[in-house]
């Protein structure tokens, strides 16, 4: 327990110190990792804790990003209003999609979430008047909260770090709360949960909405980081990358999506230096993880450590 | 006449033409101990599943304490005071015994929606869960994971989840299945000690123990109620002999 | 009037292509409880193999290419089922993720090998002309696609309903444990159905070539449509896939022609309606 606290303190300090010692390339890479961590952690609420495998989580990230960019660039709304609108809209979208997808379970749920995400993707491509289609939306500037400029990579990194920290803390608290424990109960034994008086559908729907909200937060970070948005962010590959982050790290653990998402982003960045074939590598990693390490890295390492301690 | 704890009227259920429940009518008074018997496939568990709401009947109606619950989902029935156990163990295998019982207690409390407070800090809940475990003789194992339990202990936990809710109507589906003689005696005592404020309906094949616990008995065969009445009258009835001995 | 007639034929042709994709997906899902996300990629792979054959061996007709491509994709599918998916039997989520990963590999592999430009497949010459019927002009090839899809549907129907093999497949769809218990060689039938579904998708990709071309992203465009068809029609039901394909084909074609902005949203309305009212799909017996 004590060593764990030490590790946390050391990594927290190095995360805060990083922008003062590292170059812009690494700062930006770290920012991308953090955004992916928020996205994977939000998906982990569904996949890991609710046992609901969604292949359409990119819809919420992309939806929030588009609302934010659209209302700011096209309508000229102030950043705070745009952010609130984006999160509210995304949460509402999650409520609607959740109500539809939760009519099914298992593979049906997976197929419906995938299909629904394609609606948003198709809209972004085709509703050119609203989204500027394949050209994407440009011209977004980063906000200046409390008069602080987020234009430099270091400043934006620190803001992202703060929000990531809040997201992970809130999710950790959620998982240990009465609701979080009940959610895991509906994952393992839904029939018994219903017999015990838990409204399984409502518990799952709530989880879907919460997961959608945090994916929306990741979307806001994403769009302010990129200052640009293109329909490809809504593609199945984005959902798949998020899911790979969860599975590779270890679904249903708090550290899993952090490790997994970091791995995916770093792999993607380094791979793109040497090869153009990121999707092929993504596919290969998927196959490898599923066949070799189905539990993910964090539970795998934990098992190794437990064996060593014995 | 008092309001019955459970009233079933002309209940029907069939699966792809196979009739599992055929025009079943039953009335169980508050505090009663009712034993359901019948050969395998007589439709006893299917009847439980309809009472608890896991299955919707094809026709007929079910009343709990005077309220029509025929189409209510299972969780609403639980809030009306219904609890059940399962013939096939239905526990939370990754969690500790304490967590298992906590989930049962949470099921009936608004606090189950709390997303902020760590569950482990809820002292009152932990206390109450520990009491429920002690009631079935598992008090010392509260922090063990379910996976570490013996089969007999799992059976008792199965009952503890239902008992922890202090139900008004308790459905026990083969609570003695697969237990040793010694374990049977432990579970028999747990059931015998249930206060009369709880009505109990029991499915059990071990007649020696079950008949001893029951006030009344219902015999089912092919989904039909064959005999229904006080324990002694059902035992004495020639139709009971016929079903069990095939004369 | 010509617009409506032409669009109707287009939607029928597109529905026919969708059927060639979704019937295999539905059959595999129904029998093996496996959501095969490589199915769109197999369709695209089929189209590319066809395009390659017709270019490498001048004189190869579209039909020959479809046949060869169907066989090649069937072999690929069979190997995939036997040696990769089989290792994860019983782990539905693992299998889906595996098929997803392989879909990415196939998709990117095709881009690597065949490049980013769309490759149209040439229409057989005798069908590359319009047909005049009742005063309207019909592209002959599209008529042929509709006829072929109907033939495929009839063929599948006869196979499933009238043959011993079909009886065994249906038994597996209805109750796997029972099928195993009565001695049906479930393992061999799994592989066979996977091959069959892959073959139809591969050949379908070639037949789609003259209309859609082989292009990167064909898989991603087609797979969601197949999913909607299957959710709409009901998993494991050939009738459902057939009816669903033509419904979605019509909505997609008319949607793009009339309301291009919202075509994608309109596409999902029937699916959402069906999920809300009849979660098993129009013709499905089991929940998705």
């Amino acid at each position: 327990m004590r060593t764990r606290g030490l590790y946390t303190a050391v990594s927290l300090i190095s995360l805060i110190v990083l922008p003062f010692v590292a170059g812009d390339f690494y700062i930006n890479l770290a920012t991308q990792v953090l955004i992916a961590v928020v996205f994977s952690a939000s998906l982990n609420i569904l996949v890991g804790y609710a046992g609901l495998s969604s292949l359409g989580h990119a819809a919420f990230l992309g939806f929030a990003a588009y609302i934010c960019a659209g209302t700011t660039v096209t309508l000229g709304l102030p950043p705070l209003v745009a952010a609130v609108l984006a999160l509210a809209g995304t949460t509402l979208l999650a409520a609607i999609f959740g109500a539809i997808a939760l009519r099914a379970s298992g593979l049906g749920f997976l197929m419906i979430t995938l299909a629904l995400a394609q609606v948003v993707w198709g809209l972004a491509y085709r509703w050119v008047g609203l989204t500027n289609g394949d050209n994407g939306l440009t011209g977004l500037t980063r906000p200046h909260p409390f008069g602080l400029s987020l234009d430099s990579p270091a400043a934006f990194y620190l803001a992202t770090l703060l929000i990531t920290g809040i997201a992970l803390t809130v999710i950790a608290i959620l998982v240990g709360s009465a609701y979080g424990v009940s959610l895991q109960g509906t994952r393992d034994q839904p029939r018994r949960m219903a017999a015990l008086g838990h409204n399984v559908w409502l518990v799952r729907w709530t989880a879907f909405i919460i997961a959608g909200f945090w994916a929306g937060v990741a979307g806001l970070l994403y769009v302010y980081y990129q200052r640009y948005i293109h329909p490809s962010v809504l593609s199945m590959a984005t959902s798949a990358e998020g899911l790979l982050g969860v599975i590779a790290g270890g679904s249903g653990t708090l550290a899993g999506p952090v490790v997994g998402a970091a791995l995916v982003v770093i792999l993607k960045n380094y791979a793109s230096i040497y090869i153009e074939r990121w999707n092929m590598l993504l596919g290969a990693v998927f196959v490898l993880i599923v066949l070799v390490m189905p539990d993910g890295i964090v539970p795998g390492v934990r098992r190794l450590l437990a064996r060593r301690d014995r | 006449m008092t309001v019955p704890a459970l009233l079933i009227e002309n209940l029907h259920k069939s699966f792809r033409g196979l009739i599992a429940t055929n025009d079943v009518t039953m009335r169980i008074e508050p505090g009663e101990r009712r034993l359901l018997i019948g050969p395998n496939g007589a439709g006893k568990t299917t009847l439980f599943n309809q009472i608890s709401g896991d299955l919707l009947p094809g026709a007929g109606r079910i009343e709990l304490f005077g309220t029509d619950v025929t189409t209510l989902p299972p969780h609403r029935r639980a809030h009306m005071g219904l609890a059940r156990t399962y013939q096939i163990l239905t526990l939370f295998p990754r969690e500790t015994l304490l967590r298992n019982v906590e989930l049962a207690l949470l099921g009936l409390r608004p606090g189950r929606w709390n997303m902020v407070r760590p569950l482990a800090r809820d002292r009152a809940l932990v206390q109450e869960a520990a009491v429920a475990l002690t009631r079935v003789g598992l008090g010392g194992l509260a922090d063990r994971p379910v996976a570490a339990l013996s089969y007999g202990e799992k059976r008792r936990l199965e009952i503890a989840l239902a008992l922890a809710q202090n139900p008004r109507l308790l459905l026990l589906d083969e609570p003695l299945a697969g237990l040793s003689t010694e374990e049977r005696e432990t579970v028999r005592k747990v059931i015998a000690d249930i206060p009369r404020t709880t009505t109990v309906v029991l499915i059990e094949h071990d007649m020696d123990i079950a008949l001893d616990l029951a006030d009344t008995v219902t015999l089912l065969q092919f989904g039909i109620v064959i005999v229904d009445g006080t324990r002694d009258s059902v035992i004495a009835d020639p139709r009971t002999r016929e079903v069990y001995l095939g004369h | 009037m010509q617009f409506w007639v032409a669009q109707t034929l287009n939607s029928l042709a597109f529905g026919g292509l969708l059927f060639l994709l979704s019937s295999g997906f539905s059959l595999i899902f129904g029998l093996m409880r496996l959501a095969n996300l490589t199915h769109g990629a197999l369709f695209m792979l089929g189209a590319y193999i066809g395009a390659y054959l017709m270019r490498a061996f001048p004189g190869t007709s579209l039909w020959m290419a479809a046949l060869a491509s169907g066989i090649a994709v069937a072999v690929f599918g069979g190997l995939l089922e036997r040696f990769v998916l089989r290792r994860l039997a019983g782990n539905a989520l693992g299998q889906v993720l595996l098929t997803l990963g392989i879909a990415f590999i196939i998709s990117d592999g095709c881009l690597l090998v065949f490049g980013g430009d769309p490759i149209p497949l040439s229409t057989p010459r005798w069908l590359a002309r319009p047909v005049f019927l009742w005063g309207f002009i019909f592209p002959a090839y599209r008529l042929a696609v509709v006829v072929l899809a109907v033939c495929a549907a009839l063929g599948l129907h006869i196979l499933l309903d009238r043959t011993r093999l079909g009886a065994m497949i249906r038994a597996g769809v209805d109750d796997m444990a029972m099928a195993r218990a009565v001695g049906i060689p479930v393992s061999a039938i799994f592989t066979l159905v996977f091959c069959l579904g892959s073959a139809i998708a591969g050949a379908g990709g070639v037949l789609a070539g003259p209309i859609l071309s082989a292009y990167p992203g064909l898989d991603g465009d087609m797979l969601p449509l197949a999913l909607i068809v299957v959710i709409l029609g009901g998993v494991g039901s050939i009738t459902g896939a057939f009816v669903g394909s033509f419904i979605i084909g019509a909505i997609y074609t008319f949607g793009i022609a009339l309301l291009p902005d919202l075509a994608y949203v309109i596409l999902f309305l029937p699916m959402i309606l069906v999920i809300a009212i009849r979660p098993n799909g129009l013709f499905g017996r089991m929940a998705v």
Side-chain angles (χ1 to χ4, degrees):
Chain A
M1 201 61 213
R2 195 190 245 167
T3 46
R4 200 171 147 194
L6 192 70
Y7 283 138
T8 315
V10 169
S11 41
L12 206 61
I13 290 168
S14 37
L15 280 173
I16 293 170
V17 171
L18 180 119
F20 304 102
V21 294
D24 281 358
F25 174 81
Y26 289 102
I27 296 174
N28 281 333
L29 183 63
T31 308
Q32 288 174 39
V33 166
L34 291 175
I35 296 168
V37 164
V38 176
F39 183 57
S40 277
S42 76
L43 183 57
N44 189 32
I45 298 173
L46 277 183
V47 177
Y49 294 106
L52 298 166
S53 302
S54 162
L55 254 181
H57 212 53
F60 308 117
L61 184 143
F63 195 66
Y66 262 105
I67 293 185
C68 178
T71 51
T72 318
V73 175
T74 319
L75 301 179
L77 293 182
L80 185 66
V81 180
V84 170
L85 271 180
L87 289 179
T90 306
T91 310
L92 184 68
L93 185 77
I96 296 168
F97 279 15
I100 298 167
L102 285 170
R103 295 280 298 176
S105 59
L107 292 177
F109 178 86
L110 186 129
M111 281 161 56
I112 295 171
T113 50
L114 172 56
L116 287 172
Q118 295 298 314
V119 184
V120 186
W121 174 82
L123 264 183
Y125 255 113
R126 301 199 186 259
W127 203 342
V128 178
L130 214 61
T131 64
N132 207 17
D134 201 15
N135 294 321
L137 288 172
T138 48
L140 189 70
T141 51
R142 285 178 189 166
H144 293 238
F146 314 110
L148 297 166
S149 165
L150 298 182
D151 288 333
S152 76
F156 193 77
Y157 166 83
L158 285 172
T160 308
L161 182 63
L162 177 70
I163 290 170
T164 307
I166 294 172
L168 292 181
T169 309
V170 171
I171 291 173
I173 291 173
L174 182 84
V175 166
S177 72
Y179 171 78
V181 172
S182 305
L183 182 64
Q184 293 164 66
T186 65
R187 170 194 66 195
D188 295 334
Q189 210 61 273
R191 194 171 161 208
R192 184 74 192 234
M193 285 298 279
L196 291 173
H198 295 267
N199 185 340
V200 173
W201 187 89
L202 196 58
V203 169
R204 287 178 171 164
W205 189 55
T206 316
F208 198 98
I209 295 171
I210 296 171
F213 170 85
W214 286 112
V217 172
L220 285 182
L221 292 172
Y222 173 88
V223 75
Y224 277 124
Y225 171 73
Q226 300 284 351
R227 291 178 260 206
Y228 168 69
I229 180 98
H230 183 266
S232 63
V233 74
L234 285 154
S235 70
M236 196 164 85
T238 307
S239 293
E241 279 169 29
L243 190 58
L244 182 61
V246 175
I247 310 261
S251 66
T253 62
L254 286 169
V258 179
V259 175
L263 187 83
V264 172
V265 171
I266 292 170
L267 195 66
K268 186 176 180 174
N269 269 275
Y270 278 92
S272 65
I273 297 172
Y274 302 106
I275 52 168
E276 277 177 54
R277 306 260 76 89
W278 162 240
N279 273 354
M280 193 177 278
L281 187 64
L282 176 69
V285 176
F286 249 105
V287 172
L288 196 76
I289 292 281
V290 172
L291 287 178
V292 180
M293 208 187 260
D295 289 353
I297 295 166
V298 170
V301 170
R302 234 179 240 162
R303 219 172 1 216
L304 274 181
L305 288 178
R307 205 175 300 162
R308 195 194 60 185
D309 287 350
R310 217 182 296 153
Chain B
M1 237 158 71
T2 55
V3 175
L6 175 66
L7 183 65
I8 296 172
E9 283 179 346
N10 310 103
L11 208 65
H12 268 283
K13 179 76 195 176
S14 58
F15 301 98
R16 289 191 188 179
L18 186 79
I19 298 172
T21 307
N22 192 353
D23 199 25
V24 167
T25 296
M26 247 179 175
R27 182 190 167 94
I28 297 174
E29 301 300 333
E32 196 176 319
R33 264 76 181 126
R34 173 75 60 104
L35 173 64
L36 289 186
I37 58 173
N40 280 325
K44 302 181 298 282
T45 297
T46 307
L47 190 62
F48 264 23
N49 285 339
Q50 291 170 82
I51 299 171
S52 69
D54 286 349
L55 282 177
L56 286 181
R61 59 197 299 271
I62 301 170
E63 265 184 26
L64 274 184
F65 311 107
T67 310
D68 188 335
V69 298
T70 314
T71 56
L72 280 191
H75 65 94
R76 294 276 300 279
R77 302 184 198 204
H79 283 265
M80 294 174 63
L82 175 70
R84 70 168 294 184
T85 68
Y86 294 83
Q87 183 187 351
I88 299 161
L89 291 169
T90 310
L91 304 167
F92 302 94
R94 303 195 206 185
E95 311 284 0
T96 62
L97 273 67
L98 196 73
R99 264 291 145 81
N100 268 265
V101 180
E102 283 175 349
L103 279 168
L105 294 170
L106 281 175
L108 302 182
R109 295 173 189 215
R112 68 184 178 281
W113 292 106
N114 191 320
M115 300 184 181
V116 184
R117 181 180 183 196
L119 187 61
R121 292 248 188 88
D122 191 339
R123 285 289 156 76
L125 189 76
V126 173
Q127 199 69 44
E128 204 176 322
V131 170
L133 282 174
T134 310
R135 211 167 147 190
V136 297
L138 294 174
L141 305 174
D143 295 322
R144 291 273 186 89
V146 169
L149 294 186
S150 72
Y151 178 78
E153 288 163 342
K154 284 181 186 167
R155 272 261 159 249
R156 274 187 274 159
L157 182 61
E158 180 77 31
I159 299 172
L161 292 193
L163 271 185
Q165 298 193 313
N166 286 321
R168 291 164 73 197
L169 172 62
L170 174 61
L171 311 177
L172 296 171
D173 196 347
E174 299 201 29
L176 305 173
L179 297 185
S180 69
T181 318
E182 209 173 313
E183 289 163 340
R184 273 160 199 261
E185 175 50 27
T186 318
V187 173
R188 186 203 65 79
K189 221 177 138 354
V190 168
I191 299 172
D193 287 345
I194 296 171
R196 283 278 165 174
T197 47
T198 299
T199 309
V200 178
V201 185
L202 176 72
I203 297 175
E204 188 46 63
H205 286 295
D206 183 333
M207 294 301 166
D208 291 340
I209 294 178
L211 284 174
D212 196 39
L213 290 166
D215 307 326
T216 51
V217 178
T218 298
L219 170 64
L220 284 167
Q221 190 184 24
F222 306 125
I224 304 169
V225 175
I226 306 284
V227 194
D228 198 6
T230 62
R231 176 181 55 193
D232 296 334
S233 72
V234 172
I235 295 173
D237 198 293
R239 285 169 297 181
T240 310
R241 277 183 145 272
E242 199 176 311
V243 168
Y244 274 93
L245 301 174
H247 289 307
Chain C
M1 194 61 194
Q2 175 67 40
F3 167 81
W4 291 99
V5 173
Q7 289 299 339
T8 304
L9 181 61
N10 284 347
S11 71
L12 286 175
F14 193 64
L17 293 175
L18 270 181
F19 175 74
L20 296 178
L21 179 62
S22 54
S23 54
F25 183 92
S26 185
L27 210 55
I28 291 170
F29 193 128
L31 182 68
M32 307 166 68
R33 306 292 184 276
L34 189 147
N36 179 24
L37 297 184
T38 56
H39 222 71
L42 294 179
F43 187 82
M44 181 176 76
L45 184 64
Y48 273 119
I49 292 177
Y52 168 76
L53 289 175
M54 289 173 76
R55 207 167 38 181
F57 306 99
T60 310
S61 72
L62 188 76
W63 316 118
M64 286 298 297
L67 189 68
S69 183
I71 293 170
V73 176
V75 170
F76 180 84
L79 293 173
L80 178 65
E81 197 280 328
R82 198 88 253 191
F83 296 106
V84 187
L85 291 173
R86 190 58 68 85
R87 298 177 57 161
L88 292 174
N91 174 3
L93 179 61
Q95 286 182 327
V96 176
L97 297 176
L98 202 64
T99 61
L100 179 69
I102 291 166
F104 277 120
I105 297 175
I106 296 175
S107 178
D108 217 22
C110 284
L111 183 62
L112 182 71
V113 174
F114 298 103
D117 295 323
I119 308 173
L121 279 72
S122 51
T123 312
R125 197 171 303 147
W126 60 282
L127 289 173
R129 61 192 173 86
V131 178
F132 295 93
L133 279 178
W134 307 294
F136 296 112
I137 308 164
F138 295 96
Y141 182 70
R142 289 178 194 236
L143 278 174
V145 167
V146 179
V147 172
L148 275 171
V150 172
C151 288
L154 283 175
L156 279 171
H157 180 75
I158 291 169
L159 173 75
L160 287 174
D161 250 36
R162 299 285 152 80
T163 65
R164 205 180 135 66
L165 176 66
M168 292 199 270
I169 296 175
R170 272 183 293 130
V173 171
D174 281 351
D175 190 337
M176 180 65 60
M178 187 55 93
R180 225 183 274 274
V182 298
I184 291 174
V186 171
S187 159
I189 286 190
F190 271 16
T191 311
L192 199 72
V193 166
F194 210 94
C195 286
L196 180 66
S198 307
I200 306 172
V206 177
L207 295 177
I211 300 175
L212 301 173
S213 301
Y215 65 91
L218 177 63
D219 54 338
D221 286 346
M222 293 302 278
L223 180 68
L225 298 181
L227 292 184
I228 307 173
V229 166
V230 172
I231 294 167
L232 193 67
V235 291
S237 160
I238 294 298
T239 318
F242 190 73
V243 174
S245 294
F246 286 104
I247 293 177
I248 294 302
I251 295 175
Y252 188 71
T253 310
F254 281 105
I256 287 197
L258 299 173
L259 281 168
D261 282 357
L262 295 174
Y264 246 80
V265 180
I266 301 170
L267 199 54
F268 285 82
L269 291 180
M271 179 190 97
I272 291 166
L273 207 68
V274 165
I275 293 171
I277 297 165
R278 221 184 124 81
N280 291 2
L282 295 173
F283 297 89
R285 265 183 290 177
M286 69 182 109
V288 281

